[in-house]
Amino acid sequence: MIIVMKKGASASEIQDITRKVGDLGFKDHVISGETKTVIGCVGSGDKARIKALVTAAGVESVFPVSKPYKLAARSSKQEDTVVDVNGVQIGGGACVVFAGPCSVETEDQINESARIVKNCGAHFLRGGAYKPRTSPYSFQGLEEEGLSLLAAAREKTGLPIITELLSPRHLPLVDQYADIIQIGARNMQNFSLLKECGKSNKPIFLKRGLSSTIEELLMSAEYIMSEGNYNVILCERGIRTFETAYRNTLDLNAVPALKQLTHLPVVVDPSHGTGRIDLVIPMAKAAIAAGADGIMCEMHPNPEVAFSDGPQSLNPDHFKQFMAEIQPFVKTSGKVFPS
Ligand code: PEP
Ligand code: MN
């Protein structure tokens, strides 16, 4: 059940409702929007009595949510969720770029990547310190050293950093360094990891699983939100299909479909979504035209020697071109590109 508070409802009215929600056997989730506060009531409490709260002070409406995901559903919160990271807003009217190498490899490599990403106008530096590789013999990431190199690159450039968390064991460490925690496609349904992320106060960047449906992606977001972390960013990064011409099939239907179903920001990753540098720019443009709130893109100072995902990583010149070519699409889609 969802309780929408009136515009300007007081803190004590909100507190009074959350207490009543608890008394009726529900867990309350207070989600504060720009104009209104919404209280998600999750659990198997007394539905009839909660509906009666519509007459309580400060309450505008009370209604059930028919979707299996409740807190993530657009029907429970009409206005877009805007995730604020050090003053950079993700969602709402902006379109932002997350860029950097697949893996943090060396101090020089990440510093050079950060410098290029910053100079070209991207908003976040990405880089994996814990890498989910298909082969146990492939480079697994620099782990804590990689996190501290990312943090040093943030110091130098001012770019907030996003990096992947692979295991609940590493959460305290990753949480300490990252501005945004990425959950990769392979872990989208690692429910114990999702629950731990729900206890973090860092935004979670949740990538769609390789063979997951839109509803499964939203249920995974719900896992995080149900633990109290409402700052979830969804990412379409391509799915497995019969097609072998590219690494994955970038499902751009997901963008407008997700926008209808959820208030959470939706980002597209055309690097993993295609696996091919020649497809990254056209698919980034298409993603923005479809309404994406951001693009994640792999960029390496020298992709030929990259430890991972070289074939899909843009080189610095190509990345500069990417940044220049996507901007008119941001404008056409009615969004702003934060400077
Ligand atoms: C990555 O971002 O480098 C990555 C491993 O992505 P995904 O989980 O989408 O494969
Ligand atoms: Mn990668």
Side-chain angles (χ1 to χ4, degrees):
M1 299 293 285
I2 295 294
I3 300 175
V4 180
M5 300 302 291
K6 283 181 183 150
K7 199 172 158 183
S10 70
S12 71
E13 285 169 340
I14 294 169
Q15 211 176 5
D16 183 50
I17 296 298
T18 57
R19 189 182 44 76
K20 287 179 172 145
V21 164
D23 291 347
L24 293 174
F26 291 92
K27 183 170 173 3
D28 67 280
H29 291 268
V30 180
I31 306 177
S32 310
E34 251 165 50
T35 54
K36 287 179 191 170
T37 295
V38 161
I39 303 172
C41 313
V42 184
S44 47
D46 187 333
K47 282 198 182 127
R49 286 183 61 202
I50 211 157
K51 275 188 196 154
L53 289 182
V54 72
T55 57
V59 173
E60 181 178 284
S61 58
V62 181
F63 57 88
V65 182
S66 55
K67 303 279 187 205
Y69 45 89
K70 311 286 179 195
L71 303 170
R74 174 73 82 181
S75 52
S76 64
K77 179 171 173 268
Q78 285 299 313
E79 59 190 51
D80 287 346
T81 285
V82 177
V83 178
D84 191 294
V85 182
N86 308 346
V88 186
Q89 299 196 327
I90 307 162
C95 183
V96 294
V97 174
F98 306 79
C102 181
S103 305
V104 181
E105 300 168 1
T106 64
E107 187 177 358
D108 284 352
Q109 176 253 13
I110 196 65
N111 284 340
E112 183 61 358
S113 301
R115 192 186 60 79
I116 295 160
V117 161
K118 170 84 180 179
N119 285 349
C120 292
H123 309 95
F124 293 88
L125 175 66
R126 62 147 288 148
Y130 296 89
K131 293 305 302 176
R133 306 304 301 282
T134 304
S135 164
Y137 309 119
S138 301
F139 177 62
Q140 302 286 305
L142 296 182
E143 306 189 340
E144 187 171 4
E145 188 194 345
L147 295 174
S148 87
L149 291 177
L150 275 170
R154 170 178 54 202
E155 269 314 291
K156 286 194 176 74
T157 56
L159 286 173
I161 55 179
I162 169 167
T163 195
E164 180 166 354
L165 171 70
L166 279 187
S167 152
R169 207 156 42 90
H170 303 138
L171 179 59
L173 201 58
V174 173
D175 200 83
Q176 202 183 304
Y177 286 96
D179 296 298
I180 303 179
I181 298 174
Q182 176 173 321
I183 296 299
R186 288 152 195 84
N187 266 322
M188 190 206 85
Q189 285 192 313
N190 182 338
F191 300 120
S192 53
L193 183 62
L194 299 177
K195 282 190 193 173
E196 288 305 310
C197 287
K199 294 175 193 145
S200 165
N201 59 11
K202 294 285 167 70
I204 307 297
F205 189 95
L206 179 65
K207 294 186 106 179
R208 180 178 179 183
L210 281 75
S211 303
S212 298
T213 64
I214 295 292
E215 185 163 297
E216 285 164 345
L217 172 62
L218 290 167
M219 291 309 291
S220 292
E222 190 78 10
Y223 259 96
I224 300 166
M225 298 174 83
S226 68
E227 295 291 331
N229 187 348
Y230 310 122
N231 285 326
V232 179
I233 301 151
L234 303 172
C235 178
E236 162 59 39
R237 48 77 70 209
I239 49 174
R240 279 263 165 101
T241 68
F242 55 84
E243 185 52 73
T244 55
Y246 15 81
R247 183 177 178 186
N248 289 298
T249 298
L250 188 63
D251 174 18
L252 287 186
N253 297 354
V255 179
L258 282 167
K259 288 270 159 201
Q260 282 174 29
L261 296 171
T262 181
H263 50 84
L264 297 172
V266 179
V267 171
V268 171
D269 171 354
S271 302
H272 294 87
T274 65
R276 285 175 38 178
I277 44 172
D278 57 325
L279 302 184
V280 171
I281 294 180
M283 295 315 285
K285 291 175 179 171
I288 295 166
D293 297 303
I295 301 291
M296 173 170 270
C297 171
E298 287 187 336
M299 192 287 308
H300 193 286
N302 185 0
E304 280 166 36
V305 298
F307 291 5
S308 59
D309 285 351
Q312 68 192 33
S313 299
L314 303 185
N315 67 27
D317 287 343
H318 206 168
F319 183 66
K320 199 171 169 196
Q321 184 192 342
F322 162 92
M323 291 297 286
E325 288 193 20
I326 62 169
Q327 289 193 40
F329 285 79
V330 174
K331 223 173 168 185
T332 310
S333 72
K335 293 199 192 286
V336 289
F337 194 73
S339 53

PDB file of all heavy atoms in Angstrom, residues 250-271:
ATOM      1  N   LEU A 250      21.815  -4.885 -27.268  1.00  0.00           N
ATOM      2  CA  LEU A 250      21.412  -3.765 -26.405  1.00  0.00           C
ATOM      3  C   LEU A 250      19.903  -3.587 -26.546  1.00  0.00           C
ATOM      4  O   LEU A 250      19.409  -3.293 -27.640  1.00  0.00           O
ATOM      5  CB  LEU A 250      22.166  -2.495 -26.826  1.00  0.00           C
ATOM      6  CG  LEU A 250      21.988  -1.292 -25.911  1.00  0.00           C
ATOM      7  CD1 LEU A 250      22.533  -1.558 -24.511  1.00  0.00           C
ATOM      8  CD2 LEU A 250      22.670  -0.060 -26.494  1.00  0.00           C
ATOM      9  N   ASP A 251      19.203  -3.779 -25.453  1.00  0.00           N
ATOM     10  CA  ASP A 251      17.736  -3.723 -25.499  1.00  0.00           C
ATOM     11  C   ASP A 251      17.271  -2.306 -25.167  1.00  0.00           C
ATOM     12  O   ASP A 251      17.023  -1.980 -24.010  1.00  0.00           O
ATOM     13  CB  ASP A 251      17.163  -4.744 -24.493  1.00  0.00           C
ATOM     14  CG  ASP A 251      15.653  -4.646 -24.387  1.00  0.00           C
ATOM     15  OD1 ASP A 251      15.018  -4.072 -25.293  1.00  0.00           O
ATOM     16  OD2 ASP A 251      15.102  -5.141 -23.371  1.00  0.00           O
ATOM     17  N   LEU A 252      17.146  -1.499 -26.210  1.00  0.00           N
ATOM     18  CA  LEU A 252      16.752  -0.100 -25.964  1.00  0.00           C
ATOM     19  C   LEU A 252      15.265   0.051 -25.693  1.00  0.00           C
ATOM     20  O   LEU A 252      14.829   1.105 -25.242  1.00  0.00           O
ATOM     21  CB  LEU A 252      17.210   0.808 -27.106  1.00  0.00           C
ATOM     22  CG  LEU A 252      18.719   1.065 -27.142  1.00  0.00           C
ATOM     23  CD1 LEU A 252      19.068   2.091 -28.215  1.00  0.00           C
ATOM     24  CD2 LEU A 252      19.255   1.529 -25.794  1.00  0.00           C
ATOM     25  N   ASN A 253      14.488  -1.010 -25.968  1.00  0.00           N
ATOM     26  CA  ASN A 253      13.071  -0.966 -25.541  1.00  0.00           C
ATOM     27  C   ASN A 253      13.011  -0.721 -24.039  1.00  0.00           C
ATOM     28  O   ASN A 253      12.048  -0.161 -23.525  1.00  0.00           O
ATOM     29  CB  ASN A 253      12.373  -2.321 -25.754  1.00  0.00           C
ATOM     30  CG  ASN A 253      12.297  -2.736 -27.195  1.00  0.00           C
ATOM     31  OD1 ASN A 253      12.657  -1.976 -28.070  1.00  0.00           O
ATOM     32  ND2 ASN A 253      11.824  -3.953 -27.441  1.00  0.00           N
ATOM     33  N   ALA A 254      14.064  -1.221 -23.367  1.00  0.00           N
ATOM     34  CA  ALA A 254      14.072  -1.157 -21.897  1.00  0.00           C
ATOM     35  C   ALA A 254      13.965   0.274 -21.392  1.00  0.00           C
ATOM     36  O   ALA A 254      13.411   0.504 -20.317  1.00  0.00           O
ATOM     37  CB  ALA A 254      15.351  -1.798 -21.353  1.00  0.00           C
ATOM     38  N   VAL A 255      14.485   1.227 -22.162  1.00  0.00           N
ATOM     39  CA  VAL A 255      14.529   2.603 -21.641  1.00  0.00           C
ATOM     40  C   VAL A 255      13.113   3.172 -21.478  1.00  0.00           C
ATOM     41  O   VAL A 255      12.700   3.468 -20.349  1.00  0.00           O
ATOM     42  CB  VAL A 255      15.447   3.511 -22.494  1.00  0.00           C
ATOM     43  CG1 VAL A 255      15.450   4.939 -21.958  1.00  0.00           C
ATOM     44  CG2 VAL A 255      16.859   2.949 -22.526  1.00  0.00           C
ATOM     45  N   PRO A 256      12.337   3.305 -22.572  1.00  0.00           N
ATOM     46  CA  PRO A 256      10.983   3.848 -22.360  1.00  0.00           C
ATOM     47  C   PRO A 256      10.103   2.917 -21.534  1.00  0.00           C
ATOM     48  O   PRO A 256       9.244   3.387 -20.774  1.00  0.00           O
ATOM     49  CB  PRO A 256      10.432   4.036 -23.775  1.00  0.00           C
ATOM     50  CG  PRO A 256      11.300   3.216 -24.668  1.00  0.00           C
ATOM     51  CD  PRO A 256      12.627   3.079 -23.996  1.00  0.00           C
ATOM     52  N   ALA A 257      10.356   1.608 -21.630  1.00  0.00           N
ATOM     53  CA  ALA A 257       9.526   0.668 -20.842  1.00  0.00           C
ATOM     54  C   ALA A 257       9.791   0.884 -19.351  1.00  0.00           C
ATOM     55  O   ALA A 257       8.857   0.995 -18.549  1.00  0.00           O
ATOM     56  CB  ALA A 257       9.836  -0.772 -21.243  1.00  0.00           C
ATOM     57  N   LEU A 258      11.066   0.983 -18.981  1.00  0.00           N
ATOM     58  CA  LEU A 258      11.394   1.209 -17.563  1.00  0.00           C
ATOM     59  C   LEU A 258      10.881   2.560 -17.085  1.00  0.00           C
ATOM     60  O   LEU A 258      10.422   2.695 -15.955  1.00  0.00           O
ATOM     61  CB  LEU A 258      12.908   1.116 -17.342  1.00  0.00           C
ATOM     62  CG  LEU A 258      13.477  -0.301 -17.280  1.00  0.00           C
ATOM     63  CD1 LEU A 258      15.007  -0.278 -17.369  1.00  0.00           C
ATOM     64  CD2 LEU A 258      13.035  -1.019 -16.001  1.00  0.00           C
ATOM     65  N   LYS A 259      10.977   3.554 -17.960  1.00  0.00           N
ATOM     66  CA  LYS A 259      10.523   4.905 -17.564  1.00  0.00           C
ATOM     67  C   LYS A 259       9.037   4.908 -17.201  1.00  0.00           C
ATOM     68  O   LYS A 259       8.600   5.686 -16.371  1.00  0.00           O
ATOM     69  CB  LYS A 259      10.793   5.887 -18.698  1.00  0.00           C
ATOM     70  CG  LYS A 259      12.247   6.192 -18.868  1.00  0.00           C
ATOM     71  CD  LYS A 259      12.564   7.365 -18.022  1.00  0.00           C
ATOM     72  CE  LYS A 259      13.966   7.527 -17.682  1.00  0.00           C
ATOM     73  NZ  LYS A 259      14.144   8.343 -16.504  1.00  0.00           N
ATOM     74  N   GLN A 260       8.275   4.039 -17.889  1.00  0.00           N
ATOM     75  CA  GLN A 260       6.851   3.939 -17.536  1.00  0.00           C
ATOM     76  C   GLN A 260       6.659   3.223 -16.213  1.00  0.00           C
ATOM     77  O   GLN A 260       5.812   3.579 -15.409  1.00  0.00           O
ATOM     78  CB  GLN A 260       6.100   3.135 -18.602  1.00  0.00           C
ATOM     79  CG  GLN A 260       5.785   3.897 -19.854  1.00  0.00           C
ATOM     80  CD  GLN A 260       5.168   2.980 -20.898  1.00  0.00           C
ATOM     81  OE1 GLN A 260       4.506   1.993 -20.575  1.00  0.00           O
ATOM     82  NE2 GLN A 260       5.384   3.296 -22.161  1.00  0.00           N
ATOM     83  N   LEU A 261       7.467   2.185 -15.995  1.00  0.00           N
ATOM     84  CA  LEU A 261       7.232   1.309 -14.848  1.00  0.00           C
ATOM     85  C   LEU A 261       7.839   1.808 -13.542  1.00  0.00           C
ATOM     86  O   LEU A 261       7.402   1.414 -12.466  1.00  0.00           O
ATOM     87  CB  LEU A 261       7.800  -0.094 -15.146  1.00  0.00           C
ATOM     88  CG  LEU A 261       7.138  -0.840 -16.297  1.00  0.00           C
ATOM     89  CD1 LEU A 261       7.931  -2.098 -16.639  1.00  0.00           C
ATOM     90  CD2 LEU A 261       5.694  -1.193 -15.947  1.00  0.00           C
ATOM     91  N   THR A 262       8.893   2.633 -13.654  1.00  0.00           N
ATOM     92  CA  THR A 262       9.602   3.046 -12.437  1.00  0.00           C
ATOM     93  C   THR A 262       9.991   4.519 -12.474  1.00  0.00           C
ATOM     94  O   THR A 262      10.130   5.099 -13.562  1.00  0.00           O
ATOM     95  CB  THR A 262      10.865   2.182 -12.224  1.00  0.00           C
ATOM     96  OG1 THR A 262      11.524   2.595 -11.021  1.00  0.00           O
ATOM     97  CG2 THR A 262      11.858   2.276 -13.360  1.00  0.00           C
ATOM     98  N   HIS A 263      10.191   5.073 -11.293  1.00  0.00           N
ATOM     99  CA  HIS A 263      10.644   6.465 -11.161  1.00  0.00           C
ATOM    100  C   HIS A 263      12.163   6.543 -11.056  1.00  0.00           C
ATOM    101  O   HIS A 263      12.737   7.617 -10.944  1.00  0.00           O
ATOM    102  CB  HIS A 263      10.011   7.084  -9.909  1.00  0.00           C
ATOM    103  CG  HIS A 263      10.165   6.233  -8.675  1.00  0.00           C
ATOM    104  ND1 HIS A 263      11.298   6.261  -7.902  1.00  0.00           N
ATOM    105  CD2 HIS A 263       9.352   5.276  -8.138  1.00  0.00           C
ATOM    106  CE1 HIS A 263      11.171   5.373  -6.916  1.00  0.00           C
ATOM    107  NE2 HIS A 263       9.998   4.757  -7.031  1.00  0.00           N
ATOM    108  N   LEU A 264      12.838   5.381 -11.062  1.00  0.00           N
ATOM    109  CA  LEU A 264      14.300   5.365 -10.885  1.00  0.00           C
ATOM    110  C   LEU A 264      15.008   5.806 -12.173  1.00  0.00           C
ATOM    111  O   LEU A 264      14.496   5.571 -13.272  1.00  0.00           O
ATOM    112  CB  LEU A 264      14.765   3.952 -10.506  1.00  0.00           C
ATOM    113  CG  LEU A 264      14.218   3.414  -9.179  1.00  0.00           C
ATOM    114  CD1 LEU A 264      14.594   1.942  -9.011  1.00  0.00           C
ATOM    115  CD2 LEU A 264      14.738   4.239  -7.992  1.00  0.00           C
ATOM    116  N   PRO A 265      16.196   6.428 -12.058  1.00  0.00           N
ATOM    117  CA  PRO A 265      16.929   6.811 -13.265  1.00  0.00           C
ATOM    118  C   PRO A 265      17.362   5.578 -14.070  1.00  0.00           C
ATOM    119  O   PRO A 265      17.641   4.519 -13.491  1.00  0.00           O
ATOM    120  CB  PRO A 265      18.173   7.536 -12.723  1.00  0.00           C
ATOM    121  CG  PRO A 265      17.919   7.805 -11.288  1.00  0.00           C
ATOM    122  CD  PRO A 265      16.894   6.830 -10.815  1.00  0.00           C
ATOM    123  N   VAL A 266      17.424   5.753 -15.389  1.00  0.00           N
ATOM    124  CA  VAL A 266      17.803   4.647 -16.281  1.00  0.00           C
ATOM    125  C   VAL A 266      19.009   5.075 -17.124  1.00  0.00           C
ATOM    126  O   VAL A 266      18.946   6.062 -17.861  1.00  0.00           O
ATOM    127  CB  VAL A 266      16.625   4.270 -17.214  1.00  0.00           C
ATOM    128  CG1 VAL A 266      17.031   3.142 -18.161  1.00  0.00           C
ATOM    129  CG2 VAL A 266      15.393   3.882 -16.408  1.00  0.00           C
ATOM    130  N   VAL A 267      20.090   4.321 -16.988  1.00  0.00           N
ATOM    131  CA  VAL A 267      21.327   4.593 -17.725  1.00  0.00           C
ATOM    132  C   VAL A 267      21.537   3.457 -18.725  1.00  0.00           C
ATOM    133  O   VAL A 267      21.093   2.325 -18.491  1.00  0.00           O
ATOM    134  CB  VAL A 267      22.517   4.690 -16.723  1.00  0.00           C
ATOM    135  CG1 VAL A 267      23.864   4.747 -17.425  1.00  0.00           C
ATOM    136  CG2 VAL A 267      22.343   5.923 -15.827  1.00  0.00           C
ATOM    137  N   VAL A 268      22.218   3.760 -19.839  1.00  0.00           N
ATOM    138  CA  VAL A 268      22.507   2.722 -20.839  1.00  0.00           C
ATOM    139  C   VAL A 268      24.020   2.596 -21.013  1.00  0.00           C
ATOM    140  O   VAL A 268      24.733   3.601 -21.041  1.00  0.00           O
ATOM    141  CB  VAL A 268      21.811   3.059 -22.185  1.00  0.00           C
ATOM    142  CG1 VAL A 268      22.270   2.110 -23.288  1.00  0.00           C
ATOM    143  CG2 VAL A 268      20.289   2.982 -22.024  1.00  0.00           C
ATOM    144  N   ASP A 269      24.480   1.364 -21.120  1.00  0.00           N
ATOM    145  CA  ASP A 269      25.898   1.072 -21.315  1.00  0.00           C
ATOM    146  C   ASP A 269      26.081   0.428 -22.693  1.00  0.00           C
ATOM    147  O   ASP A 269      25.928  -0.794 -22.848  1.00  0.00           O
ATOM    148  CB  ASP A 269      26.363   0.117 -20.193  1.00  0.00           C
ATOM    149  CG  ASP A 269      27.766  -0.442 -20.403  1.00  0.00           C
ATOM    150  OD1 ASP A 269      28.369  -0.202 -21.464  1.00  0.00           O
ATOM    151  OD2 ASP A 269      28.255  -1.139 -19.499  1.00  0.00           O
ATOM    152  N   PRO A 270      26.398   1.250 -23.717  1.00  0.00           N
ATOM    153  CA  PRO A 270      26.553   0.684 -25.057  1.00  0.00           C
ATOM    154  C   PRO A 270      27.897  -0.024 -25.250  1.00  0.00           C
ATOM    155  O   PRO A 270      28.089  -0.693 -26.270  1.00  0.00           O
ATOM    156  CB  PRO A 270      26.444   1.912 -25.973  1.00  0.00           C
ATOM    157  CG  PRO A 270      26.892   3.060 -25.140  1.00  0.00           C
ATOM    158  CD  PRO A 270      26.578   2.715 -23.708  1.00  0.00           C
ATOM    159  N   SER A 271      28.811   0.092 -24.287  1.00  0.00           N
ATOM    160  CA  SER A 271      30.103  -0.601 -24.415  1.00  0.00           C
ATOM    161  C   SER A 271      29.893  -2.102 -24.215  1.00  0.00           C
ATOM    162  O   SER A 271      30.219  -2.914 -25.093  1.00  0.00           O
ATOM    163  CB  SER A 271      31.111  -0.058 -23.398  1.00  0.00           C
ATOM    164  OG  SER A 271      31.300   1.321 -23.575  1.00  0.00           O
TER     165      SER A 271
END
